[in-house]
Amino acid sequence: MSEWNVTPKEAVEIQKRLKDQVRLTPLEKAPSIIGGCDVSMNMFAKEGFAGFVTLSYPALEPLGESVVKGDIPFPYIPGLLSFREIPMLLRAWELLPQKPDVLVVDGVGIAHPRRLGIASHLGIVLNIPTIGCAKSVLVGMYDEPEQEPGSTTMLRDRLTDEVMGVALRTKRNVKPVFVSPGHKITLEESLDIVRSCVRKHRIPEPTRLAHNAVNSHRVRG
């Protein structure tokens, strides 16, 4: 899984190959620790910050975090985010003192043109259950959910009508987030966990706190 020093064309072929390793199977055990991860960088930057936070579940009490600074050799190309961000995330993962049972990733899982977004790719690499929770749609179509918090609509492939995820309204009068399973978890379980991780904000706590952690380090330099 050390195939990171590749061209964009090679990266696409790797995604096509790895998608067959994605398993959307029920969780083997109820999670007691949940993680979130994010990467902070400017779009065309050569350096960035990657990090994880861990929280108790379902209480969502902070347990730990790790953030690293690293080089970004891969270009910014929509759909190939994992090749830009995962190498740094793997370094931060090694420094995380307590590993989560389930990881919520700021990005997509199978809601991806080749069904291998960063959440799915990272789940395969780490061999853990992962959930993609994105702030925008990479691919697919959906109807606007009702305004009631917790409301959902299906995110579907435009050509095949395949369900890839859900649009979830976390707060009234704010844009939905987009939940898709990454690896070793079902769509239903992914949705239930993300719903249970929403507190005062649009973004669920695991990725919100990971975002805050990496941005804080980026600001400090």
Side-chain angles (χ1 to χ4, degrees), residues 78-218:
L80 297 178
L81 186 66
S82 57
F83 292 88
R84 187 168 166 83
E85 299 190 352
I86 287 181
M88 268 195 301
L89 285 168
L90 293 180
R91 289 178 48 214
W93 177 261
E94 292 301 319
L95 299 176
L96 189 63
Q98 198 171 16
K99 303 301 192 279
D101 301 311
V102 177
L103 179 64
V104 185
V105 182
D106 180 28
V108 301
I110 65 165
H112 180 275
R114 290 169 291 280
R115 304 298 184 264
L116 195 91
I118 186 171
S120 297
H121 199 161
L122 189 58
I124 291 172
V125 173
L126 298 178
N127 192 32
I128 64 168
T130 54
I131 301 168
C133 185
K135 296 184 284 291
S136 59
V137 172
L138 178 62
V139 64
M141 59 182 182
Y142 70 99
D143 294 324
E144 281 291 327
E146 295 183 1
Q147 287 296 330
E148 184 66 25
S151 298
T152 62
T153 56
M154 294 299 171
L155 176 64
R156 298 178 182 273
D157 185 281
R158 291 179 182 275
L159 297 178
T160 66
D161 207 39
E162 173 191 353
V163 173
M164 300 182 293
V166 296
L168 168 65
R169 185 85 69 192
T170 56
K171 295 293 173 183
R172 190 180 298 275
N173 296 321
V174 300
K175 294 180 180 179
V177 297
F178 302 92
V179 179
S180 55
H183 183 54
K184 300 181 75 172
I185 194 169
T186 66
L187 175 57
E188 293 77 12
E189 290 171 327
S190 300
L191 178 58
D192 287 345
I193 287 174
V194 171
R195 273 181 171 149
S196 69
C197 288
V198 173
R199 293 294 187 261
K200 297 179 181 180
H201 305 273
R202 174 194 176 209
I203 306 301
E205 292 300 282
T207 48
R208 187 184 74 84
L209 293 174
H211 175 82
N212 289 349
V214 293
N215 273 345
S216 176
H217 281 74
R218 182 173 64 83

